[in-house]
Each structure stands twice: as structure tokens, then as C-alpha cells.
Amino acid sequence: MPTEEELFTAVDALLEGEPQLPSPSERARLREAAGVTQARLAQVLKSTTQTVKNWENGRSEPRPPRLQAYQRLLEGWAAKYPLAPVPETLPDSVEQPAAPQVLHEPAQPSAASAPDPVRAVSPVRPSASRRPAAKKAAPKPAAAEAAVDERFAHGPLAVLDGDGSAYCVGGLVLDCPAKTFPALVEWALNEAKLGAPRLNRNGKDADPLIVLTDEAAEHLGLPSVLEDRRGLRLPDDHKVIKQLTKAKWKLTKRGFGPWPRVYRPAEGGQRQCVQFAILPWGALDTRSWGDTGQLPPADVAAVLGTYATRVLTPRGSTAVCGLELMSALRPPTRAVKDAVTGSWVSGPNPGSLTEPVDPAPPEAPAEHPLVAALYPRHHVRTPDQVIDEEAYDWFRPLTDEECTQGYTHAVGIDVNMAFAAAANRLVIGTGPATHVKNPAFDAKLPGSWLVDLSHIETDPRLPSPFTPTGTRPTGPTWYSTSTVAYAVELGAPIQPSEAYLRREHGAYFDAWYTHLRNAYMATMADLGVEAGMSEADFLAAMARHKDIDPGQAAVLSAIKSTVKGGIGKLRERPQGIRHKFGEPWPALQRPTWSPHARAELIAKARTNQHRKLTAWARAGLFPVAILSDCAVYLSHGPSPLDFMPRTPDGKPLPGGFRLGVSPGMVKHEGTRDFLWLAQTIEDDRINPARHIKGDDAPDSGE
């Protein structure tokens, strides 16, 4: 047996010979603190930008000699940019709040053996979790995080019922003694141990979420419905508002509506804020959450808890959550050291959307002050005055050949998470735009370009890639970089006459895409649909996945709505009748209000789709209709397998659509008979993609 000294010597030699690098997230932090882009770092280390990305997300590790050089650089940065203190972490000297009374979980003793003052109730197994034990997904890391951070030991949220039972994630039930709203806020902050850790070290911990059932809302003095249906808020003279005001609690500008936020200014870096969701007031939109709002409290907690664990704690509609997730993953500010005072202050976070930026004139909606000053009130802007990057809404007449080929069906295929997939590795501007005349096109610069693409010919059986209607452009038109880059890819000569370019840019959506992709894939796995399945097994699993687990199906719907709604919020328009045309509206004050980013993302989704349409067209297969991410093809059978083109060895055609669960792959959207399709196109003049599955397909999310 080796001696202890021999083992220590061997270990020391290993440590000396193999440089030790900080964690991937710390590598990214140090580079951003130094204000160095991934591209610049790759240039210095004689590598590629993708390799640097891999180092910073943990997919790969550098090898000698780059390993030693990278370590030396990181050590230098670490000395200059040490970790800032985290202000929201409770100091050791601060006494932790007392734990609330706990109504125990299924594994705990029955009511007869429960000691005082703990009140036990029969364990509730949420219907949203019923599935065979063999197929039950592994628990998410929420439990492990709770064990580490005692502040959030009971999870991110609680659903409060009228009898004072607060249902939490994992079947835990707490006893809430609060009889008034101020008391409920105090309980949520000081006793409930609810909340969630921040998603980025520069961000903020998630505030506790308290969801009120109909009975709980009534018990606390809230009306069953909001009388103000236009403003969706309680009147300022309501007794609950008076109670909160007397207790020195504040409300945000949106007031006390379906998603009220109650807070006091932070003290000593410690947030004092509670988010509420009022179920009887429609906090959970059925278009996103299905019937979740009507479920028993334990089931509501299971659905919202899964979403909170995989995405983030809900703090409004799924559209609001989609936008908030962007800021949670890429916070606009970070702690920086003041060179003069040596104290830590808030500063812009490199690579994030750090402050509100005016759009370029062609990117702004008509109500924007910038545009209202240029055109009369009812002027309709032309393509050379406004950018129109939207998803497809296109269909075409059937050809004589198609009518005589004996087709029996029309089959729709739909791209999974199409807009999330387009966000992956998409470069957008993070700063103001610069106006340039007669620029040379640069695909690496995000922005808006005025260029004439009307000379580019495409097969009439395919939509034009340059307009959402699929019709050929007629002259100079404003386009995002993704669209012009696709024109270059098609081999067309390009000469923009002017452009608004953003010299400050980055892959802002990368973390957002990865987070939502992981949430989507985990939820699909819970519904029995996993990566790597055969095409036939995938289609069969998709046909039944919504019936496997209604709770997980609701989570899946919410995740999809989070993607589309968040993208729509990037160009949120004025809300309410009080807005006057040409005046600013609140959304313009957000760093994340970026119509340029929305246009760039949708342009990439549309050109990605056209690239795959073209690959199939080369094999002789042409769509007859497209709506957003759904394309309809003629088929001799009811399944996508009856018409999807193959290589000679039976594999999917390279570059085209592929069946599968991953974002960017496709699923079966629906099937109708050929005669229905012909009538819809020829007689009704309606896009058949809108009704291919029997109801209206979703739009692009705004």
C-alpha cells in the first residue's frame, strides 16, 4: 500500500501539472467585467468564438497551450475584478425568521400522531402528478437548492385556501394564520420561507408568490369580480387598499389587479416584496394555462410550482414572464467598484440591454413619438418607410398537376418552439443605432437595411422569403440583417441605400433560449415525448401526450406562451384608451423594449423556415399554405410519413424538416381531406393552415 506522503506527492504533482480554472460562469463573469467580447478573446487565444462559448457554458475545456494562457488571463482579471458582495444575502448576524406551522407531507405521521402546534391534514396528491412510478421524472434541483438556502426552504410559492391552508410545491402544506392582507404580507416575508434564488448572480432573488383561491380572496375582503373591467384594478378607496396604506405598504403603478405586487423600499439591501395572483380575477389566462385556475389548490400549486422551478416564479401573464426571464438571466446592471471611493455601486452589465434606447424610425410603431413627428396621423407608411418583419401568412392556388395527382389529404407540420429556436445564437443590437448612407452590407452587424430585393426570383410554388405575405417585393424595402443575409446566401447582389446599424451587439437571447429549451424538453419528457425516439414512436407519443398528465400539459402550454408572449412584449404598444397618439407610453422606459430585436428574431425564424422549404422543393415537394410556423403539404395519406421526402437510404432529406421533439424540428399539426383543402383555397379564399387542425392556429405572439 502507498504511504500518505507518496499519495500527497502524487496529488501535488497533478495539481502543478494541470492548471485549475474557475467555473464556466465565473469565466464569463470575468470576461464581461473586463469588457472583452467572446470574439476578441477568441482572437487573442487564436481560437474560435464558438470554442470560447463552449468554455463558458461548460461544454468543453481548453487544452494546452491555450489552457495555460487562458488561466493566466483569468487570474489577471480575477485580481482586477474580484467578486462583489451580494447585497441581498442575509448577514450571519441576522436572525432567521421562525418557521411557520407545517401541515406535513404524505410520508409524515397521520393526524392522530401529529404533535402540537403542528396541524396535520390528509396529504393531497395533485392530479397533475398522477402517472406510473416507473415513468416519473427525476425531481428538479429545487429541493437541493432549498436545502442550501434556508430562506426559501418551502419553495417559490404557496396557494392559499379559505381555511388558512397554504399549499406549496411537493405536497407541503403550511398553516397561514393571517386574517388581513397586511398580515398575509408579513407572514409571506417573515415566516413562510418562500421565494427562489436568482437565476444570475447579478440579478435578484424571486419574491414570494401567494396565489389566492376564490375562498381565500373572499376571506381577505376582496370582491369576487373586479368592477373596473377596463382598468382591472381595485379602487383606491377599497378597504384592502386602505389596510395596506395604513401599514405603510405600497403598490406598483399597475395598482391592485389580478397580479398585484406589494412592497416597501429595500432596507439594508434586503427586498421587502410579495407578488400575488388573484385566481377569481383571471390571473391565470385560460389561453396559456388552460383550466389551471379552476383546479383544487394543491393541483394549482403543483402546476405553478413546476413552471416556477423550470422557468421562473410567475409574476404576471406568461408574456410578462417571458420578458422578465430575459432580464433575470441577463440583468441590466451589476455591481462595480467605484475607482474613486472604492465602494460598490450599480453599473451597466456588458452584453445586456442596459437602458432604454430609441428605435430607428422604420422600426418604431406608428404611435411612437419619433414616427408621429414625421408623418400625419392617418398616414399609412410604405415598405420604404417601415420595416415589416412578421411571420408567414401565405397560401396559393393549386396547380393543374396537383389536382390530377390523386392526393387524398392535406397534412400540416408545425415547427417546435420556432421562435425560441430562432433566438439561439441570434445577435441583436444592445445599444443605439447609427444611420449610414450607402453602406456595404455586413451580416455580422444587426440593424435595419433599406435595399431592393425585388429582382430576386423564387419559384411561384414557394412564398417569397422577403415578405410575410409571401408575395414578391416591388421595390426598396426595410429589412433586418437576417433577411438581407439570407438574400446574400441565395446569391443575389446586394447594395443597401441606407441603414441603421448597431455597433454594440451580442447574442442576448442565448441564455433565454437555453433556459426555455430545457424547460420545454423536461416537460415533454414528463409527457412521454423524448429526444431520440423513432419517427413513428414520436408521432404516436405526440398524439397522446396532452392526455398523459393534464398538469404537465398546462405547464407545456404556459412555456410556449412564455416564448411567444415575451417576444411580443419586445414591441409592446400602448395599452388603454387614455393614451394619446404620439405620446410616450410606459413600456418605452424598459431596456427590453426593442422592436429591432423582435424584428430580427422573427426575420430569422421566417428565413430558417424558408431554407427548409427550399430543401424540400428541390426534391419536388412544395407547400400549399403557411401560417406562422405551420406548413401544409399535399399527401397520399394522413400522416407526415406519407409525404416527407427521403434520401435513397431512407433517411430524412438533409437541410429539410425533420420529425422530432427538439426546438426547430417538426410535429404533426393536423390532417384534412383534399376536397376540404381545395374548397378552402378556391371557394372560401381562406388560408387552410389556419384550420388544418380544426381550430384557429396561434399567431406570432404579439
Side-chain angles (χ1 to χ4, degrees), residues 247-312:
K248 301 189 183 306
W249 290 104
K250 298 178 180 292
L251 294 168
T252 59
K253 291 182 179 179
R254 63 184 176 186
F256 201 106
W259 286 92
R261 182 173 292 226
V262 181
Y263 73 98
R264 285 176 183 153
E267 294 182 359
Q270 182 69 26
R271 287 171 62 84
Q272 301 181 85
C273 183
V274 180
Q275 180 74 63
F276 290 90
I278 318 297
L279 294 185
W281 295 355
L284 299 181
D285 191 328
T286 56
R287 292 170 297 180
S288 301
W289 294 99
D291 296 330
T292 300
Q294 306 301 318
L295 296 175
D299 292 27
V300 176
V303 173
L304 296 184
T306 301
Y307 180 89
T309 302
R310 293 178 180 171
V311 183
L312 85 167

Side-chain angles (χ1 to χ4, degrees), residues 362 380-388 450 473-479:
V380 178
R381 289 185 287 173
T382 55
D384 60 342
Q385 295 173 337
V386 60
I387 195 168
D388 187 26
L450 182 61
T474 58
T477 303
W478 283 100
Y479 301 103

Side-chain angles (χ1 to χ4, degrees), residues 473-492:
T474 58
T477 303
W478 283 100
Y479 301 103
S480 293
T481 297
S482 295
T483 299
V484 184
Y486 187 59
V488 174
E489 182 182 323
L490 296 177

Side-chain angles (χ1 to χ4, degrees), residues 15-28:
L15 290 173
E16 292 175 2
E18 192 68 28
Q20 300 299 301
L21 296 176
S23 67
S25 60
E26 176 66 2
R27 302 169 202 174

Side-chain angles (χ1 to χ4, degrees), residues 313-472:
T313 304
R315 55 192 70 177
S317 68
T318 50
V320 168
C321 291
L323 198 69
E324 292 283 346
L325 181 61
M326 297 178 194
S327 297
L329 293 168
R330 299 295 297 267
T333 60
R334 62 186 176 94
V336 296
K337 205 168 209 178
D338 188 292
V340 177
T341 65
S343 60
W344 291 98
V345 296
S346 179
N349 191 15
S352 297
L353 299 176
T354 59
E355 60 183 3
V357 174
D358 282 338
E363 300 164 355
E367 306 91 340
H368 196 280
L370 187 64
V371 177
L374 298 176
Y375 305 104
R377 168 70 185 269
H378 298 291
H379 173 75
V380 178
R381 289 185 287 173
T382 55
D384 60 342
Q385 295 173 337
V386 60
I387 195 168
D388 187 26
E389 296 285 19
E390 300 292 343
Y392 275 129
D393 187 352
W394 167 89
F395 65 100
R396 63 172 176 84
L398 300 176
T399 65
D400 292 341
E401 182 181 5
E402 288 170 336
C403 292
T404 59
Q405 288 297 309
Y407 291 112
T408 56
H409 294 85
V411 181
I413 55 173
D414 182 80
V415 181
N416 303 323
M417 300 275 283
F419 298 104
N424 187 27
R425 296 191 295 274
L426 176 69
V427 176
I428 66 165
T430 56
T434 302
H435 188 220
V436 182
K437 287 284 190 179
N438 300 313
F441 176 68
D442 185 350
K444 296 180 180 179
L445 275 181
S448 299
W449 310 76
L450 182 61
V451 59
D452 189 351
L453 302 180
S454 61
H455 60 283
I456 303 177
E457 294 189 13
T458 55
D459 193 301
R461 292 170 293 179
L462 286 176
S464 166
F466 309 123
T467 64
T469 61
T471 57
R472 188 168 173 174

Side-chain angles (χ1 to χ4, degrees), residues 416-424 509 512-514 516-517 563 567 601 663:
N416 303 323
M417 300 275 283
F419 298 104
N424 187 27
F509 292 117
W512 187 75
Y513 160 76
T514 301
L516 286 167
R517 177 202 63 195
V563 173
I567 294 169
L601 196 155

